[in-house]
Amino acid sequence: MIHPSTFLSRALLADAIFSGVAAVALTLGAGALTPFLNLPEALLRETGLFLIAYTALVGWLAARSSVPKALVLVVIVGNAAWTLGSIALLFSGAVSPNLLGQVFVVAQAIATGVFAELQFIGLRKSGEAVAA
């Protein structure tokens, strides 16, 4: 367990807010977004459903006065993997988004990468391990 720095707590909170908004938009609006992005409705909805659980986890971490360092590392690595996976999706040929869809995927990949970096910086600024 570590004492998260204020920087880390705020980075986690910002990630939770961003992910929560995306979760609601993608889960409830997948059908409406599909024609605008030319991305599969199932992909959008399932991403939104995943983000509901992710938002709960990251929001919980953001609100804690001590957090498991390993869990914070999982979030950071997960965000980095999400960034790389999003870009890989565009190059894979598995989907054929239109220009707006490509911008959407790249923008959320960049945002997720920024969260990973901010959380990593925040983790380095955090206090050492605390006794359980």
Side-chain angles (χ1 to χ4, degrees):
M1 300 288 277
I2 61 165
H3 288 295
S5 65
T6 301
F7 193 94
L8 175 58
S9 294
R10 288 182 181 164
L12 290 167
L13 180 60
D15 189 0
I17 292 168
F18 179 83
S19 297
V21 169
V24 171
L26 293 172
T27 302
L28 300 179
L33 290 170
T34 293
F36 291 105
L37 305 175
N38 201 37
L39 287 166
E41 183 176 345
L43 173 67
L44 296 174
R45 182 163 288 113
E46 290 169 16
T47 300
L49 291 171
F50 168 80
L51 287 174
I52 291 170
Y54 177 80
T55 297
L57 169 66
V58 177
W60 178 80
L61 286 172
R64 308 284 299 167
S65 61
S66 63
V67 295
K69 183 177 182 178
L71 203 48
V72 174
L73 286 169
V74 166
V75 169
I76 293 168
V77 170
N79 277 339
W82 185 285
T83 298
L84 295 174
S86 297
I87 301 305
L89 178 66
L90 292 178
F91 288 104
S92 72
V95 296
S96 300
N98 57 24
L99 180 60
L100 185 58
Q102 291 173 13
V103 168
F104 174 79
V105 172
V106 169
Q108 62 81 36
I110 291 169
T112 305
V114 167
F115 285 130
E117 179 65 22
L118 293 173
Q119 290 159 354
F120 181 72
I121 292 167
L123 182 60
R124 288 192 341 219
K125 291 181 176 198
S126 294
E128 291 299 315
V130 295

